[in-house]
Amino acid sequence: MPEKAPIVEIRNLFKSYQRGSQTIPVLQDIDLDIAEGEFLALMGPSGSGKTTLLNLIAGIDRADSGIMRIGGIDITPLSETDLAKWRAANVGFIFQFYNLIPVLTAYENVELPLLLTGLSKKERREHVETALRLVNLGDRMEHYPTQLSGGQQQRVAIARAVVPDPSIIVADEPTGDLDRVSAFEILDLMEKLVHEFGKTIIMVTHDPRAAQEAHVVRNLEKGVLTEERGPGSGGKGQGREDFGFRTPAP
Amino acid sequence: MYTLKLIFKNAFRHKLRTCLTILSVAVAILSFGLLRTVVRAWYVGVEASSASRLVTRNSISLVFPLPLSYREKIRQVTGVKQVSHGNWFGGIYIDEKNFFPSFAMEPKTLLELYPEYVLPPDQKAAFLRDRKACVAGLKTARKYGWKIGDTITLKGTIFPGNWEFVLRGIYKGSNKNIDETQFFFHWDYMNETMKKIIPRRADQVGFYMIELKDPDTAAEVSLAIDGTFKNSLAETLTETEKAFQMSFVSMTEAIVVAIQLVSFVVIIIIFAVSANTMAMTARERLGEYAVFKTLGFSGWHIGAMIFGESIFITMLGCAAGIIFTFPAAKAFGSAMSTFIPVFNIETKTIYMDIAAALIVGIAAAVFPAYRAINIRIADGLRRIG
Ligand SMILES: Nc1ncnc2c1ncn2[C@@H]1O[C@H](COP(=O)(O)OP(=O)(O)OP(=O)(O)O)[C@@H](O)[C@H]1O
Ligand SMILES: [Mg+2]
């Protein structure tokens, strides 16, 4: 990708955990570039540090050392507050267990990230409805998470992730808790986000079939990034299309 | 708006747990309110007492009398406006358990000194006219179903014999702190009877009540009165009515202190209950709070949710407790009217209920909120699944 600076640029990233007096190295000297509009799958055995790396990229955890330039911003020196603002504006999250707020409806869950923006109620409604229609849940807006299937809940989570129109979406085993059919729907949606809306997706997965959808597959083993594989069945994103709305930064 | 909605919805996620917490807060606030009311009731005599009145009694002890002849001498002390006198009678009505305070009093001056005992003019006139007349407070009259004109017989304990009185008046308190259980009759009637049966105990007064011209002179007038009788056979002790009442209360102060202590222990217990509920709740939701933070919500938002929920639950309990305090106090008050003549819930007690519940609500959320706000997002997220 010589024509454009990568959206994620990681250099010499180290991360360890302290367990009592013991220091457990988790990530060791990670270098990673991810181009804008790329769909990257991160694989590797359990405990290899995939979630840790994803959390660092998404700005919900802090590295010991190293440089992380994301969207042109070095996020390592940001304060908690600034990091939270940066996250809200730039990163969408999809988790293995959907992590919807059970007391809120699908609509309200998707609306959550927008509450931190200056959008009016009416504008929020437009955005939420667009996002829910995008994931094919326009008719389930008033349902509570418990009234939805796992696949539907994950689609709500995707709507929540994309509604503030972030450039990067991180997904930690998004299909890990789903049956094949639902998993396929989710992967299809992610594919759509990359292709039609130019999102950059970083997905941790154990499922080789899921990894197939990605352009790039990276392997993490004992805290070290190993092999690199070229595009799978999916093609590279065609650049950014308008998602239908723009969200002002909070 | 959203936060309020979340607080409300979150509060009723575990309906049983929340309802039990609300119930325990309600019960605690109810007991706190009742106990505070008992404490207040204890001091009601002190509070109802006037600053412009003095009480003179035998300096050795209240059980020793003073000669009737002191009356004129006290009246002549400068600053004294009016003097009344009386004796504790301690009569028994039919059965010992039917207790109410009974006094032999000089009737005319009594009513002048105590405008707070309100009698209709015709009853007042009838009371003053009839030597065997008595008046009773509304509560006592109601309790025993007495009507004007009824003959009431009291068995004397200090003054032997069966004493017959005719009820000529039923007084009401001018405010709700006034004891409406007392019973008054003519001192002269008692004194004349005593002259006949035990002459050496005639012309003996239990206490004098003095009305001051100017309340500010209470200290000087007290000294002057006691000075008058210095080195006489019966030396006097004069103090304000408040101090006099206080000396009764202080005899039972230990009980009051114990009750007060218990009322605060109750608050500590609901603090423990609420803190436990909030800790459980917040621990279960650490993952959710992590999601909120991931989405960019600040610690303030998380704190507002936890504090809001805690305060919401304790305030619901508080409201229920206050609502039930009124009927409970009424039942308690009438059951205990013999011991506690005036039993009213004060506005201040309600404020204290609210303050206690609020403090408990806030305190119960401190630790869970601190934990939820400070947990690292990555750790919070790991708690899910
Ligand atoms: N808060 C923590 N304290 C101590 N050690 C931790 C902590 N979080 C993670 N670890 C350790 O870091 C290592 C990497 O964890 P991580 O969750 O990133 O692995 P993973 O590749 O996502 O595994 P999985 O595929 O099972 O999700 C593991 O050995 C884990 O035990
Ligand atoms: Mg993981």
Side-chain angles (χ1 to χ4, degrees), chain B residues 27 153 283:
Chain B
V27 169
T153 308
R283 188 166 53 236

Side-chain angles (χ1 to χ4, degrees), chain B residues 134-260:
Chain B
C134 67
V135 290
L138 185 64
K139 277 191 187 162
T140 296
R142 270 206 194 127
K143 187 168 174 187
Y144 301 110
W146 296 341
K147 285 176 295 298
I148 304 287
D150 283 1
T151 299
I152 294 156
T153 308
L154 295 189
K155 188 165 162 289
T157 50
I158 306 165
F159 304 92
N162 281 325
W163 300 71
E164 268 189 10
F165 308 102
V166 182
L167 189 68
R168 292 298 181 199
I170 295 171
Y171 77 85
K172 273 194 218 145
S174 62
N175 67 61
K176 59 192 181 97
N177 280 348
I178 302 302
D179 184 353
E180 289 180 343
T181 66
Q182 301 173 95
F183 182 97
F184 303 111
F185 62 90
H186 288 220
W187 189 85
D188 285 345
Y189 172 46
M190 184 190 78
N191 199 43
E192 279 152 30
T193 313
M194 291 307 286
K195 263 181 193 160
K196 282 180 221 147
I197 56 171
I198 318 173
R200 67 177 167 83
R201 284 186 60 191
D203 292 340
Q204 308 259 299
V205 171
F207 46 84
Y208 288 99
M209 279 110 61
I210 294 135
E211 188 183 6
L212 294 167
K213 283 180 181 146
D214 175 4
D216 293 340
T217 61
E220 297 103 277
V221 177
S222 302
L223 281 175
I225 293 171
D226 293 345
T228 310
F229 306 108
K230 193 110 195 127
N231 299 322
S232 67
L233 265 173
E235 291 193 350
T236 59
L237 173 66
T238 305
E239 54 196 351
T240 59
E241 197 181 75
K242 225 179 197 81
F244 180 70
Q245 292 283 357
M246 199 64 206
S247 65
F248 285 101
V249 172
S250 52
M251 285 192 257
T252 48
E253 193 118 60
I255 299 172
V256 178
V257 170
I259 293 173
Q260 233 155 349

Side-chain angles (χ1 to χ4, degrees), chain A residues 15 17 51-52 55 60-61 84 87-88 93 95 97 99 101-104 108 111-112 115-116 144 160, chain B residues 2 5-6 9-10 13 287-289 291-298 301 376-379 381-382 384-385:
Chain A
K15 171 77 183 173
Y17 285 110
T51 298
T52 306
N55 287 346
I60 57 178
D61 206 350
R87 264 198 319 268
F93 293 84
F95 306 96
F97 299 105
N99 289 8
I101 306 301
V103 290
L104 299 179
E108 290 165 335
E111 194 184 11
L112 272 184
L115 296 175
L116 296 170
Y144 285 92
R160 182 177 68 184
Chain B
Y2 231 84
K5 193 165 160 187
L6 264 172
K9 285 185 165 185
N10 274 336
R13 258 159 97 165
E288 264 168 54
Y289 299 138
V291 171
F292 275 103
K293 285 208 253 181
T294 304
L295 296 177
F297 286 84
S298 67
H301 284 102
R376 290 170 54 252
I377 298 177
D379 291 340
L381 288 174
R382 275 179 205 277
I384 300 174

